[in-house]
Amino acid sequence: MATAREIAEAAERRDIRQRWLLSAPALVVIFFAGIGPLAIMVVYSFLEKSGYGGVVWKFSTAGWESVFFQRDIFDDTLQFADAHLSIFWRSVKLSVITTFLTLIFGFPTAFFIATRPERTRDLWLFLITIPFWTNLLIRTFAIQEVIRNEGIANTVLIKLGIISQPIQMMFTDFAIMLGMTYVFLPLMVLPLYASLEKLDFRLVEAGYDLYANRFQVLRRIIIPLVKPGIIAGSILVFIPCLGAYVTPRVLGGGKNLMIGNLIELQFGQGRNWPLGAALSITLLIIVVAALLVYVRQASKSGQRHG
Amino acid sequence: MPEVDKADRRPAIEAKNVSKVFQGAAQDRVTALDAVSVTIRENEFFTLLGPSGCGKTTLLRLIAGFDFPTEGEILLYGEDIAPLPPHKRPVNTVFQSYALFPHMTVGQNIGFGLEMLGKSKAETAARVDQMLKLVQMQELKNRRTSQISGGQQQRVALARALAPHPKVLLLDEPLSALDYKLRKEMQIELKRLQHETGITFIFVTQDQEEALTMSDRIAVMSRGKILQIGSPREIYDRPAERFVANFIGETNFLEGDTVSTQADRAMVRLPGGATVDAGLPQGLKPSGKVTVVVRPEHADIVKAGQPATLAGALSNIVYFGTDTHFHVALDTGGEFIVRHQNSRGNESAFAVGEKVGIAFEPDAAQVLRD
């Protein structure tokens, strides 16, 4: 005879088995799409490069060393790899500026949409998402068409007599920022809109009623209340910016590399897979570290405000 | 006594022929206010009373500056405030939803207005403590507004609006979200605050009882117009319009014929032949058919055969605890309700179906304008 306790234990075992079975598909996806590739990267970064691409299965820290250092060709000493570090630095700098620019342009846009009558909001949101329908590469080439020396912007300015020589915009950091701001703007607008749409505009009225002018209402009431949207939008823009590949490649030319291009170079022409893998992991660490700092900072200041 | 004084006080808010039309497609166009004129005196507890959609909140929002009048002007102590945005008007609002800032503490909420006015930290802190004491919330100063109860939020909203010493305080149905008992408490509390601060209160409500208990004067509104302005007693005892009589309390309506009129009184012959001396609304000179109202507690029920104004049969007796309602089917048609206050030992000597008379108290009847 099975006692009540045995029956309960059997039921619990069955329950646990069922839970594992049900979560199996998700676990498989997480393993093969997430943990697996990441593990391969980690392993490859500690192997030796093979002359024709690929890796030799022998432990080596050469990949990691060359992320940060370069061996002097004459006396064989290690020096800081200025080239890599400056590319990292440029990537972070451009990403921060781009995130800031999308915030500056995205906030008024999202505010405008959120304050439209309910019926027309969907139309505006729809318009915001239209660029997503076109391939990124084509959109980037379109920007090139606008800013190249014989492009629309320069032609118009010359015809108007404002400038006599075309302004060099292509292959500059400006071109990269312009391209990335354009491409990632919707990723900022949408979460901002989601936050602004939930904003209780009676609080804005209460702010005006209590002698706050427009700027004070924005700074003291609206921004603190839509902070979750600002954080989400910034994360959504900053991360893909940091790893951007197409935009800097097309608009930045060969000189203005970003991390994404540097990594691609190692797996392509450079034929240095361990270095590429190590660079990728470094990028990952930068992103995670930046996020941790940002989110912690943002939530801390949120608490201080009230 | 203050009741006498207040009539002489100078006007705090004057609305002159104020209209507000909300634009839109032709069928969406709404006239929320239709040539409204009203004078609200300094230190007065003034109530705008009416059903939802009557324009009372619109008038409040015009005074606060959230909306602008389509026509007419609003004066604050004689000065046209039309060009001033809300943050430049020395007027504060207690919102129906309270609209407390969820990202600030109770203390920060109360201090916000003072801070925006550029008051020093010390002055703001002192005033915040003073306000917290006034609404008896000292111990909750550092709580988030989401961590306090509805009644406490109400008090914070009041303290926040009173903190910057507004010349006029606007209250937009502030008690409607509270339960009955709390509402009763807050009514007394509000009256006390008004008395202590000496600030002019403009109070919007659709609760007639609230209006009657708290106000110095009431303006009854319907469909964008003010129908009658007067003290609670005047509004209740001498309603000028059918809407006012109906909206506030229970009333008996009787159709009659004018016999004669004097300055502010008329003799009216009621169905059944009796003639009553009825009050007239200001400026009305009736002739022919008129409607007369009598409040249920201004009439008494008597045994058949005794002197009475109306006659009928008792159709129903409803016991309410504090009083009893006698429903009388009048011999001339229609129903008349008499309210009798209960006390020990006066259990009803009447039975349903019995023939009875209805005797009016002196001055019970009032002629309506329509």
Side-chain angles (χ1 to χ4, degrees):
Chain A
M1 276 294 285
T3 65
R5 186 199 179 106
E6 279 166 355
I7 292 171
E9 277 172 357
E12 194 166 325
R13 274 198 302 278
R14 211 169 37 243
D15 204 32
I16 289 170
R17 210 169 34 240
Q18 227 160 29
R19 262 184 256 168
W20 274 106
L21 217 61
L22 284 171
S23 47
L27 291 175
V28 166
V29 169
I30 289 170
F31 182 79
F32 282 101
I35 299 168
L38 214 58
I40 293 173
M41 297 260 290
V42 173
V43 170
Y44 271 37
S45 73
F46 286 107
L47 296 178
E48 221 165 70
K49 70 172 176 178
S50 146
Y52 304 97
V55 286
V56 176
W57 282 83
K58 215 155 65 176
F59 178 83
S60 157
T61 54
W64 280 102
E65 269 167 30
S66 47
V67 169
F68 303 105
F69 304 107
Q70 57 194 16
R71 212 164 276 280
D72 194 289
I73 31 175
F74 299 112
D75 57 12
D76 218 31
T77 53
L78 285 179
Q79 292 173 329
F80 273 111
D82 295 337
H84 291 175
L85 291 179
S86 71
I87 288 172
F88 271 112
W89 169 237
R90 171 186 297 115
S91 297
V92 171
K93 186 182 70 181
L94 289 183
S95 301
V96 168
I97 296 173
T98 303
T99 307
F100 184 70
L101 287 176
T102 53
L103 186 59
I104 293 294
F105 290 112
F107 194 90
T109 313
F111 193 86
F112 173 83
I113 298 174
T115 48
R116 289 312 95 190
E118 209 135 337
R119 285 166 295 170
T120 53
R121 282 185 209 164
D122 286 344
L123 176 71
W124 288 106
L125 284 178
F126 169 76
L127 291 176
I128 288 286
T129 56
I130 279 187
F132 281 143
W133 299 7
T134 319
N135 185 287
L136 172 62
L137 201 56
I138 293 170
R139 278 186 283 156
T140 311
F141 276 116
I143 289 186
Q144 184 180 6
E145 198 53 40
V146 174
I147 62 171
R148 70 195 172 94
N149 284 3
E150 299 81 27
I152 297 168
N154 273 319
T155 311
V156 168
L157 287 174
I158 290 171
K159 282 266 160 64
L160 287 173
I162 296 171
I163 53 171
S164 55
Q165 289 292 312
I167 300 171
Q168 177 66 42
M169 288 184 276
M170 278 301 288
F171 313 126
T172 61
D173 284 354
F174 166 77
I176 299 178
M177 272 187 311
L178 180 74
M180 292 202 300
T181 303
Y182 163 68
V183 167
F184 295 126
L185 189 59
L187 295 181
M188 181 61 92
V189 171
L190 295 177
L192 275 182
Y193 166 77
S195 269
L196 279 165
E197 196 237 343
K198 273 184 284 176
L199 178 68
D200 184 353
F201 276 87
R202 287 173 297 193
L203 297 175
V204 174
E205 276 188 354
Y208 285 131
D209 190 64
L210 292 162
Y211 311 108
N213 59 32
R214 280 158 177 271
F215 176 72
Q216 287 165 324
V217 165
L218 179 72
R219 198 174 66 82
R220 296 294 307 275
I221 295 167
I222 298 177
I223 289 180
L225 289 175
V226 300
K227 192 165 255 164
I230 296 175
I231 293 176
S234 301
I235 290 172
L236 283 180
V237 171
F238 182 75
I239 294 175
C241 263
L242 211 48
Y245 169 69
V246 171
T247 313
R249 177 73 188 269
V250 174
L251 299 174
K255 285 187 301 178
N256 298 291
L257 290 181
M258 283 179 67
I259 309 174
N261 310 95
L262 184 64
I263 293 169
E264 187 266 350
L265 212 57
Q266 304 315 320
F267 286 100
Q269 291 154 287
R271 289 182 189 163
N272 192 347
W273 288 20
L275 175 57
L279 284 170
S280 302
I281 293 164
T282 311
L283 173 62
L284 185 76
I285 291 166
I286 292 176
V287 167
V288 172
L291 280 187
L292 282 179
V293 170
Y294 182 67
V295 170
R296 187 161 303 171
Q297 207 60 38
S299 60
K300 202 189 291 168
S301 73
Q303 265 159 19
R304 197 176 52 241
H305 273 295
Chain B
M1 284 309 291
E3 300 303 317
V4 185
D5 289 346
K6 283 182 180 177
D8 302 330
R9 292 235 167 87
R10 58 190 179 138
I13 291 276
E14 289 167 89
K16 293 183 175 172
N17 278 313
V18 172
S19 294
K20 176 66 186 178
V21 181
F22 286 106
Q23 297 296 342
Q27 70 273 20
D28 294 344
R29 193 162 303 173
V30 180
T31 305
L33 281 180
D34 189 1
V36 164
S37 294
V38 59
T39 301
I40 296 159
R41 298 186 202 108
E42 190 171 43
N43 194 12
E44 192 172 32
F45 198 122
F46 192 91
T47 299
L48 299 169
L49 173 66
S52 52
C54 72
K56 55 194 193 303
T57 296
T58 304
L59 183 55
L60 206 69
R61 290 176 61 82
L62 292 181
I63 296 171
F66 300 136
D67 285 315
F68 293 94
T70 316
E71 267 177 70
E73 57 181 357
I74 297 172
L75 307 182
L76 176 69
Y77 286 99
E79 224 174 296
D80 190 4
I81 52 173
L84 297 180
H87 69 270
K88 295 211 171 125
R89 297 184 183 200
V91 166
N92 288 126
T93 308
V94 177
F95 294 85
Q96 187 174 9
S97 58
Y98 313 146
L100 296 178
F101 304 126
H103 56 297
M104 298 182 195
T105 63
V106 167
Q108 286 168 331
N109 262 281
I110 296 173
F112 188 82
L114 296 161
E115 202 184 319
M116 291 300 115
L117 284 172
K119 303 282 185 222
S120 71
K121 279 222 166 72
E123 193 184 342
T124 303
R127 180 75 178 151
V128 166
D129 287 338
Q130 191 190 344
M131 294 318 295
L132 282 166
K133 204 170 161 203
L134 187 70
V135 295
Q136 295 149 19
M137 296 260 308
Q138 293 102 311
E139 69 282 10
L140 297 176
K141 182 179 177 183
N142 294 317
R143 291 277 193 94
R144 292 290 199 102
T145 56
S146 54
Q147 296 167 327
I148 57 178
S149 71
Q152 291 167 335
Q153 289 182 11
Q154 168 66 73
R155 284 161 192 269
V156 175
L158 261 169
R160 185 179 71 172
L162 284 170
H165 296 287
K167 288 191 171 151
V168 176
L169 186 73
L170 309 174
L171 302 106
D172 185 8
E173 301 195 37
L175 307 182
S176 61
L178 303 178
D179 62 51
Y180 182 78
K181 224 179 142 201
L182 210 50
R183 200 156 66 221
K184 287 274 156 216
E185 270 175 45
M186 283 308 295
Q187 285 176 8
I188 296 164
E189 179 87 5
L190 269 179
K191 198 71 190 150
R192 175 180 73 85
L193 283 174
Q194 200 256 339
H195 189 76
E196 279 178 25
T197 56
I199 290 171
T200 310
F201 276 34
I202 304 181
F203 185 85
V204 159
T205 184
Q206 45 185 316
D207 182 335
Q208 41 123 348
E209 192 187 311
E210 215 165 84
L212 291 175
T213 49
M214 300 167 73
S215 318
D216 292 322
R217 284 196 305 154
I218 300 170
V220 183
M221 295 185 70
S222 170
R223 297 176 179 202
K225 283 181 186 286
I226 291 181
L227 299 180
Q228 189 175 358
I229 302 176
S231 70
R233 253 224 123 79
E234 279 163 11
I235 296 278
Y236 186 80
D237 285 350
R238 309 236 158 267
E241 314 236 359
R242 183 178 288 267
F243 180 88
V244 177
N246 236 337
F247 190 74
I248 298 170
E250 277 177 288
T251 313
N252 296 295
F253 294 94
L254 296 164
E255 303 300 323
D257 291 297
T258 317
V259 178
S260 64
T261 61
Q262 292 163 18
D264 59 349
R265 305 207 66 81
M267 295 303 287
V268 178
R269 183 178 296 115
L270 297 177
T275 305
V276 291
D277 181 11
L280 286 179
Q282 216 176 9
L284 185 72
K285 282 265 168 276
S287 61
K289 291 227 170 281
V290 287
T291 304
V292 168
V293 288
V294 180
R295 295 287 182 190
E297 65 275 21
H298 294 163
D300 213 347
I301 192 159
V302 295
K303 292 280 182 191
Q306 289 183 8
T309 317
L310 299 168
L314 202 52
S315 63
N316 204 358
I317 301 175
V318 186
Y319 177 72
F320 274 95
T322 53
D323 45 36
T324 304
H325 289 194
F326 296 93
H327 294 243
V328 179
L330 297 177
D331 293 341
T332 49
E335 191 182 55
F336 194 100
I337 297 174
V338 173
R339 178 153 55 210
H340 196 90
Q341 192 171 352
N342 295 327
S343 60
R344 295 274 175 151
N346 79 338
E347 281 84 5
S348 175
F350 298 93
V352 172
E354 192 180 336
K355 280 280 180 194
V356 291
I358 295 167
F360 290 1
E361 286 173 8
D363 201 20
Q366 170 76 8
V367 175
L368 292 183
R369 207 181 282 278
D370 59 353

